[in-house]
Amino acid sequence: MKRPVRPVALVILTLCALYPGLAAVFQGFYPWVTGQEFALVGQTGAFMTTAAKLGMPIWLPSLFKGFVGLAFLGAVPGLWAGDGRAVPLAFLGALGSLLLGPGPAVMGIVALICLTVFRETSQHQPA
């Protein structure tokens, strides 16, 4: 079976998707469930603060954060199944996580490296 990325990269991508993916889904859709924005220790974070300074409604960055998490979590099972159509969704999740803060950005950089460097070619495929 031809996979879009190598199996070792799939394991790393899975680990990279768990932290920013689950956290972004929780923090992004938290306001829609509870009616108040997510704030850890009373701080909303740099992304939400910047969006508020730009005059955006508070629900827009929350929705963006939630969809970035869904993109990351939705792409990894597709990559495990060998579906090459999940690669753009994984790129979207990895690039979006670069905007979410230092922790998710590091995981996004690692995911981008796995998606671009560890591609499978015919030379890596068994006959």
Side-chain angles (χ1 to χ4, degrees), residues 66-92:
F67 283 126
V68 164
L70 284 178
F72 230 156
L73 292 176
V76 171
L79 291 173
W80 273 101
D83 191 3
R85 295 176 295 178
V87 173
L89 193 59
F91 268 111
L92 182 70

Side-chain angles (χ1 to χ4, degrees), residues 7-93:
V8 172
L10 284 174
V11 173
I12 295 170
L13 276 170
T14 302
L15 296 175
C16 287
L18 285 178
Y19 166 57
L22 288 175
V25 166
F26 178 77
Q27 293 173 9
F29 295 124
Y30 183 84
W32 301 97
V33 176
T34 63
Q36 59 186 3
E37 64 186 57
F38 181 82
L40 191 61
V41 192
Q43 299 174 354
T44 56
F47 188 63
M48 298 290 269
T49 306
T50 305
K53 285 182 183 178
L54 293 174
M56 287 190 222
I58 197 67
W59 57 268
L60 191 61
S62 294
L63 211 56
F64 173 77
K65 190 182 278 191
F67 283 126
V68 164
L70 284 178
F72 230 156
L73 292 176
V76 171
L79 291 173
W80 273 101
D83 191 3
R85 295 176 295 178
V87 173
L89 193 59
F91 268 111
L92 182 70

